[in-house]
Amino acid sequence: IGALVVRPDIACKIIPQICGSQNEHLRGGTENVAAIAGAAAALRDAHKNRMAKNEHLKSLVKSTLDKLSHISIIKLTPENSCAGVLLVSFVGMCGMAVKRELLKRGILVSVGSACNTKKSGPSHVLIEMGVPRVVRRGVIRISFWDTNTIKDVDALCAAFTN
């Protein structure tokens, strides 16, 4: 299921990319009512207390950085980024090797952006930022969600000391 939210003044300017016989040729088939209801419930849940949830996520990111301060890492995440996302580089290490070791402990991280999971090679964004190769090579992305706790942070950070 997907949704596109647009301002009313530009809604009439959107040209459908997939046309069909439904809704005056704007849709290709019958609505998936169950998926629509599920998406609506998920959006309501995700939005509920969002400001407090974001503060919680920021505290998890800060705790992670504090607890990993003894390791040679470089934080690459801008201050105004998504509240629960942390991009760090383990300088001199391979991000894929770090990812594999964490996976053995049941911890999932990413070595690339979410939109480039099938692409190999360095991030074009990090290249444009002027991040040196030795730093780019050790990058992992840690993404927290509302249900993560400080225990999850402790488990992640313990993986680098055990």
Side-chain angles (χ1 to χ4, degrees):
I1 188 82
L4 174 64
V5 180
V6 295
R7 293 187 326 251
D9 60 314
I10 62 167
C12 61
K13 299 176 186 174
I14 295 176
I15 300 169
Q17 300 299 304
I18 300 173
C19 299
S21 59
Q22 306 271 328
N23 279 34
E24 298 179 29
H25 302 282
L26 296 176
R27 255 188 328 101
T30 304
E31 293 98 342
N32 182 346
V33 176
I36 293 168
L43 285 169
R44 274 192 302 275
D45 186 52
H47 190 265
K48 186 177 180 181
N49 301 319
R50 184 78 260 151
M51 296 301 273
K53 290 175 182 178
N54 284 350
E55 289 306 313
H56 167 70
L57 294 172
K58 288 176 187 177
S59 74
L60 295 178
V61 166
K62 183 181 181 322
S63 291
T64 302
L65 287 170
D66 291 346
K67 291 177 184 205
L68 292 179
S69 64
H70 67 285
I71 299 173
S72 180
I73 64 169
I74 296 175
K75 177 184 173 239
L76 298 167
T77 310
E79 292 304 319
N80 61 347
S81 66
C82 186
V85 177
L86 177 60
L87 188 68
V88 294
S89 174
F90 293 84
V91 181
M93 299 174 76
C94 172
M96 280 301 296
V98 172
K99 178 181 176 175
R100 278 192 296 275
E101 286 302 314
L102 290 173
L103 186 56
K104 288 177 187 176
R105 298 167 186 256
I107 300 168
L108 303 174
V109 297
S110 177
V111 292
S113 64
C115 57
N116 284 326
T117 55
K118 300 281 186 206
K119 182 183 171 191
S120 62
S123 161
H124 67 281
V125 174
L126 295 178
I127 291 170
E128 288 299 316
M129 288 171 57
V131 176
R133 183 181 185 285
V134 69
V135 175
R136 287 192 318 257
R137 189 172 180 274
V139 168
I140 66 166
R141 187 182 75 245
I142 303 164
S143 300
F144 294 106
W145 182 237
D146 300 343
T147 54
N148 286 116
T149 66
I150 197 68
K151 286 184 180 182
D152 297 318
V153 170
D154 292 341
L156 169 69
C157 297
F160 294 101
T161 56
N162 299 336

